[in-house]
Amino acid sequence: MKKYIIRGNKTLSGNVRISGAKNSALKLMAASILANSKVTLQNVPDIEDVNTMAEVLKTLNAKVVFKPQKNRLEIDPSSINSFEAPYELVRKMRASVLVAGPLLSKFGRVKIAIPGGCNIGARQIDLHLKGFENLGAENYVEHGYINCAVKSDKAKVINSGSKLKGSIINLDFPSRGATENLMMAACMAEGKTVINNAARETETVDLANFLISMGAQIDRAGTDCIEINGVKTLKGTEYRIMPDSIEAGTFIIAASLCGSKVVIENAIWKNIEIFCLKLKEVGIDIESRGDNTIVVRRLANTLNTVYISTLPYPGFPTDLQPIIAVLLSVIPGISIITENVFENRFMYVDELNRMGANIKIDGHHAVIKGVKNLSGAPVKAFDLRAGAAMVLAGLAADGITEVSDIHHIQRGYENFESKLAGLGADISLVT
Ligand code: EPZ
């Protein structure tokens, strides 16, 4: 079982370059299904989830070539002749659900394994399915699979030509996945679709820009009301994926915990503005240098406790909640984090408390009583961001920390340990 061994209390300094965004790359790979010819994606991170999404596309008989050393991925969807996303891949990675909208739009039907929950919550897809029904599909569950088909007797055969119909969709919650799946489904529907209460995340805008580069007609992406006018075909394209905001936030906290001066390149302040302003409130010396570079200096003076509430973009990102908790756990006084997006995103707290933190969970709130320092211990990664938080805690702790189950971390961080080591961290990967 692979794990990280970290010897804490090293000072970090120097430059680190952020990779392409996982939560954009996976959607653009799914959206490539819609094209009638080859798609080339640049700045694709070399991470496990990209390999899994490539497997899903190959299961559909798309041609996929990934050159990880060049972060370049080529997808030729013209050979796709299946509309079924298999259980073992959907179970492994929930984002596989995002092939549903493209398959439904292109072939008039899709069969997808029910993804099930994960460590941070139930992760329902009811909003996706309700939106498909708004667009003229019907859904039924059979043997652990959801079948969606455009309402017409022709939809039972592939390439039936049955088309979704544009509609007004009102989302109960600004779900990112539902917004993205429905935006992809609407691209080749007949007529106009309006998605109200849409997600506004920057990765969702990246997806819209990618679809537009294929010939889609999408307006007002990035607002809570996205308008899509269906077109007949979408063509192949070449597109560069945006940088990963959550990876940038992860390195910003690493620098806040034990950096002297760390320069984070390919980090867009606007995409994580609330998070950066919160760190200023804490008293961290953080500034944007304008050329998509963020500089963090660890100040000697005392840091301030803060209150944090996670919300959909542009609110404080839930994915950085476990990450900032590590910093707050060593700031004297009481900080409070309220998690409003997922129902179970405090799994990492028990592990952090084993390293000497003093955090109490009360429903959706984590009450953090700052301690002088953390001490190294063997801990587990429960999910992607909780795992990254354990690594950061190890960097700041006295002594040695072993982080196990690191496959969770390798799903979403490219060259994580070598980037940290490049800044001066004492971290090694052992199998
Ligand atoms: C995306 O998940 C991200 N994943 C998550 O990042 C991120 O935490 C999340 O958005 C919130 O920002 C990817 O982009 C691959 P949602 P997604 O649909 O799309 C409920 C990471 O660490 N909901 O906005 O699944 C749902 O249960 C991962 O990179 C429904 O109830 O998020 C959750 O409580 C973790 N019904 C909330 O909405 C639905 O049909 C947010 O879900 C859909 C969602």
Side-chain angles (χ1 to χ4, degrees), residues 115-316:
C118 71
N119 277 344
I120 60 177
R123 312 294 298 273
Q124 305 280 336
I125 58 167
D126 54 316
L127 301 180
H128 302 232
L129 300 177
K130 214 164 95 179
F132 291 152
E133 286 171 358
N134 291 147
L135 293 170
E138 53 193 353
N139 310 309
Y140 64 95
V141 173
E142 195 176 52
H143 308 309
Y145 278 81
I146 298 165
N147 294 270
C148 298
V150 175
K151 272 189 207 137
S152 98
D153 53 358
K154 291 192 299 176
K156 298 290 178 278
V157 293
I158 200 157
N159 279 325
S160 65
S162 299
K163 282 285 169 202
L164 295 168
K165 300 271 182 301
S167 169
I168 293 179
I169 299 170
N170 298 302
L171 291 177
D172 297 348
F173 175 86
S175 151
R176 291 169 71 167
T179 302
E180 292 156 352
N181 234 339
L182 295 168
M183 188 162 65
M184 292 187 280
C187 278
M188 294 204 286
E190 284 167 358
K192 180 175 180 178
T193 297
V194 176
I195 304 175
N196 290 318
N197 198 21
R200 297 167 51 188
E201 268 74 5
T202 50
E203 293 82 359
T204 307
V205 176
D206 210 29
L207 172 61
N209 291 336
F210 171 69
L211 291 165
I212 290 165
S213 79
M214 290 163 73
Q217 288 181 14
I218 300 172
D219 293 307
R220 309 186 60 210
T223 74
D224 62 357
C225 174
I226 301 176
E227 297 175 359
I228 304 114
N229 283 298
V231 295
K232 289 239 177 306
T233 55
L234 293 173
K235 59 189 189 320
T237 186
E238 178 148 353
Y239 191 86
R240 184 174 181 79
I241 289 167
M242 65 177 277
D244 193 310
S245 308
I246 307 304
E247 184 191 14
T250 304
F251 279 94
I252 289 169
I253 294 294
S256 305
L257 280 163
C258 35
S260 55
K261 177 187 171 190
V262 176
V263 178
I264 299 147
E265 298 164 3
N266 265 358
I268 303 174
W269 180 281
K270 181 91 188 73
N271 292 357
I272 40 173
E273 185 146 43
I274 292 261
F275 166 79
C276 294
L277 294 175
K278 189 55 79 172
L279 285 179
K280 276 184 169 294
E281 200 184 318
V282 166
I284 298 293
D285 178 354
I286 178 172
E287 56 164 347
S288 167
R289 254 193 355 207
D291 52 348
N292 286 348
T293 298
I294 294 176
V295 182
V296 180
R297 292 179 187 80
R298 178 82 156 102
L299 289 179
N301 68 353
T302 53
L303 299 177
N304 315 308
T305 59
V306 289
Y307 298 148
I308 289 174
S309 271
T310 68
L311 283 169
Y313 188 86
F316 191 99

Side-chain angles (χ1 to χ4, degrees), residues 79-96:
S79 51
I80 291 179
N81 61 8
S82 162
F83 47 78
E84 181 174 336
Y87 179 75
E88 63 278 3
L89 289 175
V90 176
R91 190 82 189 96
K92 183 177 175 188
M93 184 185 70
R94 307 177 30 68
S96 315

